[in-house]
Amino acid sequence: MGSDFPTKARHGGKATVHEVGRLAGVSGRTVSRVINGEPSIRPETLERVKAAMAALDFEPNMAARALRGARSFNLCLLTAHLSHFYFAEVVRGLTRACAARDRRLIIQECPLRQAMLAPADLLRRPNADGYVVLPPLCDAPPLLELLDRLGLDYVRIAPATDPGRSPAVFSDDEAGVRALARHLWDLGHRRFGHIAGPPGHHATLVRSRSFTEGLLEAGVDPADIAQVEAPGLANPADGRARLGRGLAETAGPALDALLARPRPPTAIFAFCDELAIGAVARAQSLGLSVPGDIAVAGFDDSDIGAMIHPALTTIRAPLIEMMDEAVDRLVVGDAGRPIAHHPVELRIRSSTNPRPSR
Amino acid sequence: MGSDFPTKARHGGKATVHEVGRLAGVSGRTVSRVINGEPSIRPETLERVKAAMAALDFEPNMAARALRGARSFNLCLLTAHLSHFYFAEVVRGLTRACAARDRRLIIQECPLRQAMLAPADLLRRPNADGYVVLPPLCDAPPLLELLDRLGLDYVRIAPATDPGRSPAVFSDDEAGVRALARHLWDLGHRRFGHIAGPPGHHATLVRSRSFTEGLLEAGVDPADIAQVEAPGLANPADGRARLGRGLAETAGPALDALLARPRPPTAIFAFCDELAIGAVARAQSLGLSVPGDIAVAGFDDSDIGAMIHPALTTIRAPLIEMMDEAVDRLVVGDAGRPIAHHPVELRIRSSTNPRPSR
DNA sequence: CTGAAAGCGCTTACAG
DNA sequence: CTGAAAGCGCTTACAG
């Protein structure tokens, strides 16, 4: 054919915009317009180009797009740890949301300590067009200042502080926790305990407050609502964190403190499933029956909560949808979007049901 | 200064090889040599270039490197699901191994069904220099054929089939399971049950066989070793999979079958922690005490195994190290490396200890 | 051991 | 609505 576009060892032998254009009788520039979905194209031209792309099995070279267009088509998950129960679901949600929008998900770990002390190293070579920042990193001021200074796009997930500072995605924890309070009341419980989450964490405040308010509205005597903190939780302020199995261990002393009260609670709500599972384990090791002697509920609807005996009552946030919104805010743009609080769902299982035998 | 390299809106205002070279008194080509660690550079030149890179806060533009060099500096994790307990640790290991070698980790989900039926869509736009393929994907022939056909580099993790087909990383499950068998024998158990893993899975074969062999060597009567399969496990052959909480649920019927035997086992080893946790939960819901009435052990050392009551005896594979080796085989090259079996560790906890009261 | 030239495959900034 | 030219920042393929 005497082609003046000899196929070198480039791009795995793939066609280029130039070659697609030649087949379609247009310039490479117009193929580029089609790739990027630019509107000003005659419908017939569009069809011809699409046909040519299909015929040549064309895939745009992402490195070239990245170089010329100064964007990477990568989105990056910035997280302090990979051990939380919800991590797998966060990654699953982000992976799918990215795939649906022709983006790739990159994972970057950043210890909370580093986010507080020396975040610059982390983003020396920013390799993403946008960042999804999980708690507690999304409440580390030095990291946020760095992101702002570098002009990087980011979305925070359930940030504790300064909700208007950046795009953010929330779940409506309050409604779920109030429903849980009501559920426990309806079962006949009258004395309640709460194991609070990491201090300074927005979700900690919301869940603790909602639980108390829900109980008070149901008619619980304020003297019968006890709150304790598990020792050594993640603390955004000083960069220390306790996670995974360490978190469950720390629930033991918290449960002990609640049981040591003069009028101990018969129902307990823990900030998250790890703490709840730890509380269940401690109760069982003390010879108590759950829920017969004490009911326990968590938050997150982690897989494992459904696996243990008794299965854990918990609250589910729609993480898949929330991650989809986070990605959409990064890819499509955030302008003018209101902050949305995704609805959560109470999952009643046998760690609270049926009502206690007393 | 009258620079002939005006700083346009490129690369976030970063310096280029050209500018670094000018400061160091060499060409951009030589800067490129430094970036890529090419050996043939005079030490003094090397020093000057490094100083210039530091002075200009130079970071190479990865998109340009990718375009010209025809590689992406991305590695990709190919996995059928993100819900296994060990997933978080796999990702953690890969993330760190990639960061240490200046690579980025991309996550790509591929349902087993798709790997068996239409893997081509998955890799239409290969965006990585190498792939880490987890079970059960690493035993899906159509996916492997596609990877081979496209000439893509990949490392399989504990593949079931054809261990020599590609670079692969293994753990020495056999040694761990034999140690477990011995541990149970030493506790005084004489009748044993095993809940097997997904059929066709290499790890299933190894763990089942090693458990039986270990018991026989200890002196157990073959008639007192029972093996059952949990229904509906992941099956590479037909693309169906059952994971996470579904896996734990399926352990219930398996335990029932073992307990229904004329001489039921007093100690059970399950293929993985999910199955073991499900078996513990079922035993407890039947009113049995673990380990008093029946001892249960798993495999994986998942976080959750340590959180439940009783804490789960299990076997830990060094996933972090294994992922490091996988990445190293992709980045540095695999030529001439022998297959290594990473040592595993028996973690004795209270789901088997102390010995049963009978 | 080092460099000048060319080009990877796109998109930008114009022009018509 | 479409195109010719230039160039993003590197590395390849030479040359010396």
Side-chain angles (χ1 to χ4, degrees):
Chain A
M1 286 183 64
S3 161
D4 29 44
F5 306 113
T7 295
K8 309 202 183 129
R10 12 142 272 238
H11 198 196
K14 289 264 184 192
T16 67
V17 286
H18 215 136
E19 289 158 351
V20 171
R22 213 163 49 127
L23 183 60
V26 299
S27 71
R29 179 66 187 86
T30 294
V31 178
S32 170
R33 288 190 172 93
V34 173
I35 294 170
N36 292 288
E38 293 176 30
S40 59
I41 295 194
R42 234 187 322 158
E44 310 136 43
T45 312
L46 182 65
E47 283 320 304
R48 264 187 298 132
V49 171
K50 282 188 170 170
M53 294 198 307
L56 296 178
D57 200 26
F58 172 77
E59 290 290 340
N61 180 317
M62 298 309 271
R65 299 185 75 187
L67 175 58
R68 196 61 186 90
R71 54 193 184 141
S72 64
F73 297 92
N74 293 330
L75 298 184
C76 178
L77 171 65
L78 229 42
T79 179
H81 43 79
L82 302 170
S83 59
H84 254 0
F85 281 152
Y86 64 66
F87 175 73
E89 196 147 353
V90 164
V91 172
R92 196 180 309 138
L94 289 176
T95 299
R96 291 178 189 169
C98 284
R101 291 169 184 80
D102 231 347
R103 298 302 194 279
R104 296 167 298 201
L105 177 67
I106 284 179
I107 309 253
Q108 188 153 356
E109 248 189 322
C110 170
L112 186 52
R113 193 162 212 92
Q114 184 184 356
M116 295 303 294
L117 298 177
D121 288 339
L122 195 72
L123 299 171
R124 294 211 65 207
R125 190 179 299 184
N127 49 32
D129 303 329
Y131 293 81
V132 176
V133 192
L134 288 193
L137 284 189
C138 64
D139 297 306
L143 177 63
L144 298 178
E145 279 153 27
L146 179 70
L147 285 163
D148 286 335
R149 184 147 34 84
L150 296 177
L152 298 173
D153 254 10
Y154 62 100
V155 169
R156 291 181 295 158
I157 308 299
T161 50
D162 225 341
R165 172 176 192 153
S166 73
V169 176
F170 296 89
S171 57
D172 188 5
D173 293 9
E174 174 168 356
V177 174
R178 281 172 176 269
L180 172 65
R182 187 76 218 182
H183 162 68
L184 295 173
W185 168 271
D186 289 344
L187 286 170
H189 292 282
R190 293 299 177 264
R191 300 193 306 280
F192 300 86
H194 174 53
I195 302 177
H201 196 304
H202 183 59
T204 296
L205 261 65
V206 169
R207 294 180 199 173
S208 297
R209 191 188 58 213
S210 307
F211 188 57
T212 300
E213 287 180 1
L215 293 174
L216 292 176
E217 281 171 22
V220 176
D221 181 343
D224 285 334
I225 306 175
Q227 178 171 328
V228 296
E229 217 173 72
L233 295 188
N235 185 342
D238 69 356
R240 275 180 299 146
R242 186 153 190 166
L243 297 157
R245 62 181 73 172
L247 196 47
E249 281 163 17
T250 207
L255 182 74
D256 294 344
L258 289 170
L259 294 178
R261 292 172 59 89
R263 292 161 49 81
T266 63
I268 288 182
F269 164 52
F271 170 77
C272 64
D273 280 359
E274 282 110 325
L275 288 171
I277 289 167
V280 167
R282 172 72 109 199
Q284 290 173 333
S285 75
L286 295 173
L288 297 176
S289 151
V290 178
D293 295 315
I294 190 156
V296 179
F299 196 111
D300 278 343
D301 193 24
S302 57
D303 270 357
I304 192 60
M307 294 185 203
I308 65 167
H309 177 82
L312 191 69
T313 292
T314 189
I315 293 166
R316 179 179 195 78
L319 287 176
I320 302 285
E321 290 87 337
M322 290 170 68
M323 294 306 119
D324 195 78
E325 185 193 327
V327 168
D328 204 64
R329 281 179 186 256
L330 288 173
V331 171
V332 177
D334 193 74
R337 285 203 217 188
I339 287 178
H341 289 257
H342 290 256
V344 304
E345 197 184 325
L346 176 62
R347 297 261 165 120
I348 296 171
R349 301 206 187 91
S350 46
S351 73
T352 58
N353 236 1
R355 49 177 304 164
S357 44
R358 287 168 292 160
Chain B
M1 288 182 63
S3 161
D4 30 44
F5 305 115
T7 295
K8 309 199 185 132
R10 8 142 276 236
H11 200 194
K14 289 264 184 193
T16 68
V17 285
H18 215 136
E19 288 157 352
V20 171
R22 213 163 47 129
L23 183 60
V26 299
S27 71
R29 179 66 187 85
T30 294
V31 178
S32 169
R33 287 191 172 93
V34 173
I35 293 171
N36 292 288
E38 293 175 29
S40 58
I41 297 196
R42 235 187 321 156
E44 311 136 42
T45 312
L46 183 64
E47 283 320 304
R48 266 186 296 132
V49 171
K50 280 187 172 171
M53 293 199 307
L56 296 178
D57 200 27
F58 172 78
E59 289 291 342
N61 180 317
M62 298 307 272
R65 298 185 77 187
L67 175 57
R68 197 59 186 90
R71 55 193 183 140
S72 65
F73 298 92
N74 293 330
L75 298 183
C76 178
L77 171 64
L78 228 42
T79 180
H81 43 79
L82 301 170
S83 60
H84 252 2
F85 281 150
Y86 65 66
F87 175 74
E89 197 147 352
V90 164
V91 172
R92 196 181 307 138
L94 289 176
T95 300
R96 291 178 188 170
C98 284
R101 292 169 182 80
D102 232 348
R103 299 302 195 280
R104 295 167 300 200
L105 177 67
I106 284 179
I107 310 253
Q108 188 153 355
E109 248 190 322
C110 170
L112 185 53
R113 193 163 211 90
Q114 184 185 356
M116 294 304 293
L117 299 176
D121 288 339
L122 195 70
L123 299 172
R124 294 211 64 205
R125 190 180 300 183
N127 49 33
D129 304 328
Y131 293 80
V132 176
V133 191
L134 289 192
L137 285 189
C138 63
D139 297 306
L143 176 63
L144 299 179
E145 280 154 25
L146 179 69
L147 286 163
D148 286 336
R149 184 147 34 85
L150 296 176
L152 299 172
D153 253 11
Y154 62 99
V155 169
R156 290 181 296 158
I157 307 299
T161 49
D162 225 342
R165 172 176 192 155
S166 74
V169 176
F170 296 90
S171 56
D172 187 6
D173 293 9
E174 174 168 356
V177 173
R178 281 173 176 269
L180 172 66
R182 187 76 218 181
H183 161 69
L184 294 173
W185 169 270
D186 289 345
L187 286 170
H189 293 282
R190 292 300 178 263
R191 300 193 306 281
F192 300 86
H194 174 54
I195 302 176
H201 196 305
H202 183 59
T204 296
L205 259 66
V206 170
R207 294 180 197 173
S208 297
R209 192 189 55 212
S210 307
F211 188 57
T212 301
E213 288 180 1
L215 293 175
L216 292 176
E217 281 171 24
V220 176
D221 181 343
D224 284 333
I225 305 175
Q227 177 170 329
V228 296
E229 216 173 74
L233 295 188
N235 186 342
D238 70 357
R240 275 180 299 146
R242 188 152 190 166
L243 298 157
R245 63 182 71 174
L247 197 48
E249 281 163 18
T250 208
L255 183 74
D256 295 344
L258 288 172
L259 294 178
R261 291 173 60 88
R263 293 161 49 79
T266 63
I268 288 181
F269 164 52
F271 170 77
C272 63
D273 281 0
E274 282 110 325
L275 287 171
I277 289 167
V280 168
R282 171 72 112 204
Q284 290 173 333
S285 75
L286 295 172
L288 298 176
S289 151
V290 178
D293 296 314
I294 190 155
V296 178
F299 196 112
D300 278 345
D301 193 25
S302 58
D303 270 357
I304 192 60
M307 294 186 202
I308 65 167
H309 177 81
L312 191 69
T313 291
T314 189
I315 294 166
R316 179 178 194 79
L319 288 176
I320 301 285
E321 290 87 338
M322 290 170 68
M323 294 305 120
D324 195 77
E325 185 192 326
V327 167
D328 204 63
R329 280 181 186 254
L330 288 174
V331 170
V332 177
D334 193 73
R337 286 203 216 190
I339 288 179
H341 289 257
H342 291 256
V344 304
E345 197 184 325
L346 177 61
R347 297 261 164 119
I348 297 171
R349 300 206 188 91
S350 46
S351 73
T352 59
N353 237 359
R355 53 177 300 162
S357 44
R358 287 169 291 158

